[in-house]
Amino acid sequence: MEQKKKIYFASDAHLGAPNISDHREHEKRFVAWLDRIKNDAGEVYLMGDIFDFWFEYRHVIPRGYTRFIGKLCELTDGGIPVHFFTGNHDIWVFDYLPQETGVIVHKEPYITTLYGKKFFLAHGDGLTPDEKAYKRLKAVFTNKTAQWLFRWVHPDLGVAMARFWSRKSRENNQDSEKATFQGEEGEWLIQFSKKKLQQEHFDFFIYGHRHVAIDLPVGTHSRVCYLGDWVKLYTYAVWDGETFELKRFGH
């Protein structure tokens, strides 16, 4: 019997983040993982914040990421569907990535069935009613007029501004207790998943965003997985139709 291809999930590589000391090595590590899985991958789901900042100007794309973008092209050219979810850091994906690399872009949660199991897939930002301030900010970022105005900012200035915002955001959040597991009652994505289960059944809820790596049961026959990140943890998940595992690259 032919062995099933595996489904891979990863998130939060934050390529180009200002707190990463060696951007090239950071990118090469993530690309090395993609290269390792390409021979047995049936699909790849990149679940948001793969870039720490991304904005597609009409004729300019941010500097860097050459190895990563080339690897995306290699995977999709080889017939492997690659799903790219926008996160809160790389929300400004327009037509360059899908047209140039062939990735399938998701800007909202995505529901799919993989080997007979139902998956709810999302980066994890803006899903709950409590995130009012973030939703207001996201409304600005996704506003067509605001995007048009930002496009007229010189890329050197625009990227510098984005890195400043990223640094401030990281100082306010990533070094706080929010980057640690808060227990089931304190995790809004787990509570969100439990409420979704009251409406319909999902076998798996897969999220990025939290920079925490967990895989735990919710409800009777469901699981929630936080994918961790590729800044400190280098974690990913794999589903082969029989077993779902959360793994660490290099281990």
Side-chain angles (χ1 to χ4, degrees), residues 9-11 45-50 85 121-123 206-208 227:
F9 308 84
S11 73
Y45 288 82
L46 303 179
M47 305 278 298
D49 284 0
I50 300 303
F85 287 67
L121 307 174
H123 178 60
I206 313 294
Y207 303 110
L227 291 169

Side-chain angles (χ1 to χ4, degrees), residues 4-218:
K4 290 181 179 179
K5 292 285 189 177
K6 297 178 180 179
I7 313 297
Y8 288 92
F9 308 84
S11 73
D12 295 272
H14 287 274
L15 299 175
N19 65 319
I20 294 171
S21 58
D22 192 329
H23 293 284
R24 179 168 296 180
E25 287 303 313
H26 179 59
E27 180 188 16
K28 287 170 68 174
R29 181 185 293 112
F30 192 58
V31 169
W33 172 69
L34 291 171
D35 192 61
R36 177 180 293 184
I37 69 174
K38 68 181 181 182
N39 292 326
D40 67 0
E43 291 185 75
V44 178
Y45 288 82
L46 303 179
M47 305 278 298
D49 284 0
I50 300 303
F51 301 106
D52 196 66
F53 168 72
W54 182 263
F55 188 89
E56 295 174 8
Y57 296 89
R58 190 176 302 278
H59 300 294
V60 177
I61 60 170
R63 180 176 179 173
Y65 323 123
T66 303
R67 293 168 181 80
F68 171 65
I69 291 174
K71 186 57 64 175
L72 288 182
C73 294
E74 180 184 345
L75 293 175
T76 60
D77 287 350
I80 300 173
V82 177
H83 299 257
F84 188 99
F85 287 67
T86 57
N88 50 300
H89 279 257
D90 49 13
I91 194 172
W92 283 331
V93 172
F94 303 126
D95 59 1
Y96 172 82
L97 277 182
Q99 290 183 7
E100 190 72 13
T101 71
V103 299
I104 303 163
V105 174
H106 300 282
K107 297 188 176 184
E108 300 293 338
Y110 179 60
I111 295 171
T112 188
T113 299
L114 302 170
Y115 293 137
K117 298 297 183 180
K118 193 174 181 181
F119 283 72
F120 182 94
L121 307 174
H123 178 60
D125 59 316
L127 293 179
T128 64
D130 296 335
E131 300 172 79
K132 294 179 181 179
Y134 170 72
K135 288 183 177 181
R136 288 194 293 268
L137 184 61
K138 185 175 181 178
V140 173
F141 286 161
T142 56
N143 180 271
K144 296 296 184 182
T145 301
Q147 293 172 353
W148 181 83
L149 290 171
F150 190 84
R151 190 185 299 276
W152 284 97
V153 176
H154 190 281
D156 286 349
L157 178 58
V159 171
M161 292 167 57
R163 287 178 176 170
F164 174 80
W165 294 331
S166 176
R167 187 178 293 108
K168 286 298 182 182
S169 174
R170 190 163 282 104
E171 289 173 358
N172 292 335
N173 295 307
Q174 292 297 86
D175 294 331
S176 73
E177 66 176 4
K178 293 181 181 180
T180 62
F181 183 61
Q182 300 295 295
E184 287 193 35
E185 295 304 317
E187 290 289 339
W188 72 90
L189 289 174
I190 293 178
Q191 297 307 309
F192 170 83
S193 302
K194 289 181 177 180
K195 290 180 180 179
K196 291 290 289 184
L197 286 173
Q198 295 174 4
Q199 303 167 6
E200 60 181 310
H201 174 74
F202 293 92
D203 296 286
F204 296 96
F205 295 86
I206 313 294
Y207 303 110
H209 191 50
R210 285 289 287 113
H211 291 243
V212 175
I214 63 167
D215 172 24
L216 71 153
V218 293

